[in-house]
Amino acid sequence: MYTEDTKSIKDTKGIENTKSTKNKISAALYTLAARLNLNFANQDLLLQAVTHKNVYENDLLTNEGLQVLGNHALGLYVTEYLHLKYPLLPLPCLQQAITAYCGHLTLTVIGQEVGLQYVVRWNNFTDEELFLQDKEIPSKKKSVGKSKGPVQRITQGTAISHALKAIVGALYMDKGPHAARQFIHDYILSRDVKMQEVIEIKEPKRELSALMKRLNKPSPISRLKSETGRLSYAPAFVIGVYSGTEQLGEGFGSSVKMAEFRAGKNALLQYYLKEVKDFTLPSVIDSHEKQATYIPTKVGDTPPKL
């Protein structure tokens, strides 16, 4: 009674394999794909992107390669955007901003917000499994053609972060660079990051003096603008830092030293974080017509911080 159906399946092994793959993709994973608008032409990439490399299954690829590709794509497009938006940002500050947008902790939070924790595939090895790794785990690794090596315990947060990078890599592979860039702008760069809190400045007075010298401006001078309760339990001081008659920044604190530190930092942040409101990303120039009318955004020359 089932002869024809059986024959049909045997004659169409490709369809059979496709059905087998789809059966492994859960409803939660399909929901995530719909939520993030991940219309992969190759559905295998969807499952591969959420499968960490410490999952040992003979018939399943992991996201190790996609993660590397996605990591580089994230670095490229996030750096491009921030470098053009804040052209005066020094390299160390730029690196801090990049980490704030696409660092491990940030990607983990974003992944949890979109629901990756419900679909990511990873092994949280127990102490016993780690103890027996030389006997049990390497034999599984050999079965999938991987070399022997220590089994690493990873957290769910790490698995989520790697999966999100792999999704970016899968988009790059399946849909091209424009789709990957659009995903990064929609889900990574659209987040509100307070740059003033991200950038760390340890020696504002020294750094500000070097900056004024490079700009051929008078050396910065701190001036007490106001104070209250100097001899009381809660004193407050307001310091302004000036270059000639130009006020560069202002700060307050419970001591003159604290207010002076904040004033110098405020002056540096006002300079470093000058935004370019209208700019064109070089990565969107993908035709000869666009190249003919493309005007590059002027990039600042702020040297590395002291």
Side-chain angles (χ1 to χ4, degrees):
M1 183 171 63
Y2 299 101
T3 304
E4 293 181 2
D5 293 340
T6 305
K7 183 179 180 181
S8 175
I9 293 175
K10 288 182 178 179
D11 291 341
T12 56
K13 292 183 179 180
I15 296 176
E16 183 181 13
N17 291 336
T18 301
K19 290 181 178 179
S20 177
T21 302
K22 287 185 177 180
N23 289 337
K24 296 180 182 179
I25 301 177
S26 65
L29 187 52
Y30 275 122
T31 302
L32 176 73
R35 184 182 303 125
L36 300 181
N37 195 27
L38 302 176
N39 299 318
F40 289 121
N42 180 7
Q43 288 295 329
D44 291 348
L45 285 175
L46 182 61
L47 189 61
Q48 183 181 351
V50 298
T51 304
H52 194 268
K53 65 179 181 180
N54 75 346
V55 175
Y56 305 108
E57 295 184 12
N58 294 329
D59 59 342
L60 188 62
L61 296 175
T62 66
N63 63 11
E64 187 174 9
L66 294 175
Q67 175 205 334
V68 174
L69 178 59
N71 186 53
H72 285 289
L74 276 166
L76 170 63
Y77 294 124
V78 172
T79 302
E80 174 192 55
Y81 176 82
L82 292 177
H83 195 36
L84 294 182
K85 186 175 182 180
Y86 304 105
L88 298 178
L89 205 57
L91 180 59
C93 296
L94 179 63
Q95 292 172 333
Q96 292 167 14
I98 293 170
T99 301
Y101 271 100
C102 62
H104 167 70
L105 294 178
T106 302
L107 293 181
T108 299
V109 172
I110 295 173
Q112 290 173 337
E113 289 177 354
V114 300
L116 266 174
Q117 67 271 28
Y118 302 114
V119 298
V120 67
R121 294 164 57 88
W122 62 291
N123 282 328
N124 185 18
F125 293 114
T126 64
D127 292 336
E128 182 180 1
E129 288 174 319
L130 290 172
F131 180 75
L132 298 174
Q133 62 177 313
D134 291 331
K135 297 181 180 179
E136 296 181 7
I137 304 302
S139 64
K140 295 181 181 180
K141 296 177 78 173
K142 289 176 69 176
S143 66
V144 295
K146 295 184 179 180
S147 59
K148 284 189 177 183
V151 177
Q152 295 182 347
R153 173 182 286 170
I154 65 166
T155 63
Q156 187 185 49
T158 299
I160 290 173
S161 174
H162 289 181
L164 190 55
K165 291 179 182 178
I167 287 174
V168 175
L171 277 170
Y172 197 101
M173 288 283 292
D174 195 67
K175 296 293 184 181
H178 296 298
R181 185 187 67 240
Q182 189 61 49
F183 181 88
I184 292 169
H185 278 263
D186 289 343
Y187 295 97
I188 308 296
L189 292 172
S190 63
R191 302 177 66 82
D192 183 22
V193 174
K194 296 181 179 179
M195 298 289 287
Q196 294 85 351
E197 298 178 3
V198 169
I199 297 175
E200 182 180 5
I201 299 176
K202 296 181 179 180
E203 298 181 84
K205 187 174 182 179
R206 179 168 174 257
E207 191 171 333
L208 187 60
S209 297
L211 178 60
M212 292 300 102
K213 183 178 180 180
R214 190 178 64 82
L215 297 177
N216 295 319
K217 292 186 176 183
S219 298
I221 299 176
S222 300
R223 296 171 183 166
L224 180 63
K225 298 185 68 175
S226 64
E227 66 171 282
T228 181
R230 180 184 284 264
L231 301 178
S232 69
Y233 177 76
F237 302 89
V238 178
I239 295 288
V241 60
Y242 295 82
S243 175
T245 59
E246 178 188 1
Q247 180 173 314
L248 304 175
E250 185 177 285
F252 68 93
S254 58
S255 67
V256 172
K257 187 175 182 179
M258 180 186 294
E260 187 178 21
F261 178 92
R262 289 176 173 173
K265 183 176 180 180
N266 176 253
L268 287 171
L269 290 177
Q270 286 193 50
Y271 179 80
Y272 289 155
L273 296 180
K274 288 180 181 178
E275 291 188 36
V276 175
K277 299 296 184 181
D278 186 19
F279 56 87
T280 302
L281 297 171
S283 60
V284 305
I285 308 303
D286 56 358
S287 66
H288 293 293
E289 291 77 11
K290 291 182 179 180
Q291 288 177 0
T293 58
Y294 173 59
I295 301 176
T297 302
K298 184 179 179 181
V299 178
D301 61 344
T302 305
K305 288 175 57 186
L306 298 176

